[in-house]
Amino acid sequence: MGRSSSVEMHQSLDDRPVADVVLGVFGYNAVLAAHRLKLFPLLAAEPRTLPDVCAALGIKPRPAQAILATASALGFARFVDGSWSLTPLGEKYLLETSPTYMGSWWDIVIDHVSDGFSYDPVERAVLTDAQQLFQGEHVFRTLAEQAEMARAFTRAMHSIAVAPAQAWPDVIDLSGCQLMLDVGGGTGAHSIGAVTRWPQLRAVVLDIPPVCEVASEVIAEQSLQDRIEARPGDMFQDAFPKADLHFYSDVYHDWSREKAVFLTRKSFESLPPGGRIVVHEMLFDDDKTGPFATAGYNIAMLVWSVDGGQYSGRELSGILADAGFRSIETKPTFGYNSIVTGVKPAAP
């Protein structure tokens, strides 16, 4: 290999991915600190100079400039004519007044940083293949027994769901569906997105009782009580109510493959001929080598769940096919999310 080829290879294999592992720890935590300090609503109110930010947050110029730089680098803030303001991205996802506010997810991270979002629990989970929170009990069994925790967790999950829920109904034709069963549907965000896009559609949100209480509140806030019902139930133990569309979002990844297979077969048996299943997840590539965001989410499942994990589109397609579904498709929807969908064929 000549010198020029050696130099080119050296330059193409620069150290940024290695450095990003370390620098991301500091940078992302700085943005979480900015969130906790309420920097983003401050910048949304009006443009602020650096002294303005220091005075409002009660911090000195050096740390103020540091958190502003990290927020700007991620596209949440901008610096124009000597003042800092919030970008449209920040306005959409980082203000509590926005319907797509995602800050509640960040709050979960901050509140569980020592037991769920730091190095130690990840290392323990990798070495033991054991959930690191809730004393080894499945998170949803714990939530079923602790109503206040369930409310907080459900609201946080709502903040993740709202934006994707407005997108996936646009990539699939639901004109032939009349009633959607939103299995493990949380606040009903996806039901709201679906019935808003498809006016003939009604929905039932099936979840544990404390979650359904929150769902009823959210549904009422949207004035959709006449089209969406929150119905308490156990998706594993109780019979599914009649519906011609079954929807699962971030449900399969919470459980083992065996339970995902069980739910898929249960849906197939419950749906009428021509009925549709939609599984909404953050998917691995088919060879499960990426993308990085899904790999990270998979680690979160390793830490937070007893036996859950992320799937590839190929894996979910296989589970649907084995249950009997046909016309199976995988469609990207919004951000890191995709749907895998199939139809129950007519009886021969």
Side-chain angles (χ1 to χ4, degrees), residues 2 28-29 56 73 76 135 140 142 150-151 171 175 217 269 275 323 329 345:
Y28 289 126
N29 278 316
F76 301 136
Q135 291 78 49
F140 293 105
T142 302
R151 292 183 66 85
V171 306
S175 60
E217 295 168 6
E269 293 166 2
E329 298 177 278

Side-chain angles (χ1 to χ4, degrees), residues 188-261:
H190 289 281
S191 291
I192 292 168
V195 305
T196 301
R197 172 61 180 83
W198 297 96
Q200 88 291 348
L201 194 63
R202 294 169 49 249
V204 173
V205 178
L206 181 71
D207 216 313
I208 58 178
V211 173
C212 282
E213 291 179 11
V214 181
S216 295
E217 295 168 6
V218 173
I219 293 164
E221 290 167 5
Q222 300 297 317
S223 301
L224 287 170
Q225 305 97 309
D226 60 333
R227 297 184 62 197
I228 306 174
E229 171 195 352
R231 186 177 301 183
D234 185 316
M235 62 186 174
F236 293 108
Q237 299 295 328
D238 299 337
F240 283 157
K242 289 184 178 180
D244 56 1
L245 169 64
H246 284 191
F247 181 84
Y248 297 85
S249 180
D250 282 355
V251 172
Y252 281 34
H253 77 172
D254 288 321
W255 306 92
S256 67
R257 180 185 176 88
E258 290 73 23
K259 289 186 173 68
V261 167

Side-chain angles (χ1 to χ4, degrees), residues 25-28 30 43 50 67 75 85 97 117 124 142 150 159 187 191 217 228 283 292 296 309 333 337 342:
V25 171
F26 292 102
Y28 289 126
L43 299 183
L50 182 62
I67 62 171
S85 60
T97 52
F117 292 95
R124 290 195 300 269
T142 302
S159 73
T187 62
S191 291
E217 295 168 6
I228 306 174
L283 298 180
F292 183 76
T333 57
N337 297 285

Side-chain angles (χ1 to χ4, degrees), residues 2-27:
R3 176 174 174 77
S4 61
S5 297
S6 178
V7 170
E8 289 172 3
M9 177 174 288
H10 178 72
Q11 291 174 341
S12 67
L13 296 175
D14 70 53
D15 65 353
R16 282 178 292 181
V18 180
D20 287 345
V21 173
V22 176
L23 303 179
V25 171
F26 292 102

Side-chain angles (χ1 to χ4, degrees), residues 87-346:
T87 63
L89 180 69
E91 291 172 354
K92 183 171 184 177
Y93 296 113
L94 302 181
L95 297 180
E96 289 188 67
T97 52
S98 169
T100 51
Y101 175 66
M102 293 183 70
S104 298
W105 195 16
W106 288 4
D107 290 332
I108 288 283
V109 174
I110 295 168
D111 293 342
H112 289 277
V113 67
S114 62
D115 56 355
F117 292 95
S118 61
Y119 175 82
D120 286 345
V122 171
E123 182 187 53
R124 290 195 300 269
V126 168
L127 293 175
T128 64
D129 189 21
Q131 176 182 324
Q132 298 302 302
L133 290 90
F134 309 116
Q135 291 78 49
E137 286 290 325
H138 198 286
V139 58
F140 293 105
R141 293 195 182 97
T142 302
L143 294 178
E145 297 167 358
Q146 299 186 31
E148 285 307 309
M149 182 187 296
R151 292 183 66 85
F153 185 84
T154 301
R155 284 286 183 177
M157 295 303 98
H158 179 74
S159 73
I160 305 172
V162 173
Q166 296 175 0
W168 71 264
D170 284 332
V171 306
I172 186 171
D173 183 2
L174 299 180
S175 60
C177 298
Q178 300 299 315
L179 182 59
M180 168 175 157
L181 180 63
D182 192 352
V183 185
T187 62
H190 289 281
S191 291
I192 292 168
V195 305
T196 301
R197 172 61 180 83
W198 297 96
Q200 88 291 348
L201 194 63
R202 294 169 49 249
V204 173
V205 178
L206 181 71
D207 216 313
I208 58 178
V211 173
C212 282
E213 291 179 11
V214 181
S216 295
E217 295 168 6
V218 173
I219 293 164
E221 290 167 5
Q222 300 297 317
S223 301
L224 287 170
Q225 305 97 309
D226 60 333
R227 297 184 62 197
I228 306 174
E229 171 195 352
R231 186 177 301 183
D234 185 316
M235 62 186 174
F236 293 108
Q237 299 295 328
D238 299 337
F240 283 157
K242 289 184 178 180
D244 56 1
L245 169 64
H246 284 191
F247 181 84
Y248 297 85
S249 180
D250 282 355
V251 172
Y252 281 34
H253 77 172
D254 288 321
W255 306 92
S256 67
R257 180 185 176 88
E258 290 73 23
K259 289 186 173 68
V261 167
F262 172 85
L263 291 172
T264 307
R265 290 177 176 169
K266 186 175 180 180
S267 282
F268 185 84
E269 293 166 2
S270 175
L271 283 165
R276 179 178 291 277
I277 187 173
V278 177
V279 181
H280 181 271
E281 289 279 356
M282 190 182 294
L283 298 180
F284 269 121
D285 298 333
D286 284 343
D287 62 4
K288 302 194 80 166
T289 59
F292 183 76
T294 304
Y297 208 9
N298 193 55
I299 292 294
M301 292 301 102
L302 188 66
V303 173
W304 279 70
S305 74
V306 173
D307 48 16
Q310 300 305 123
Y311 293 87
S312 68
R314 178 185 294 167
E315 286 177 310
L316 289 179
S317 296
I319 290 173
L320 266 60
D322 289 345
F325 289 101
R326 298 296 180 260
S327 302
I328 298 168
E329 298 177 278
T330 299
K331 296 173 176 281
T333 57
F334 181 84
Y336 295 122
N337 297 285
S338 298
I339 57 171
V340 180
T341 180
V343 176
K344 180 175 178 176

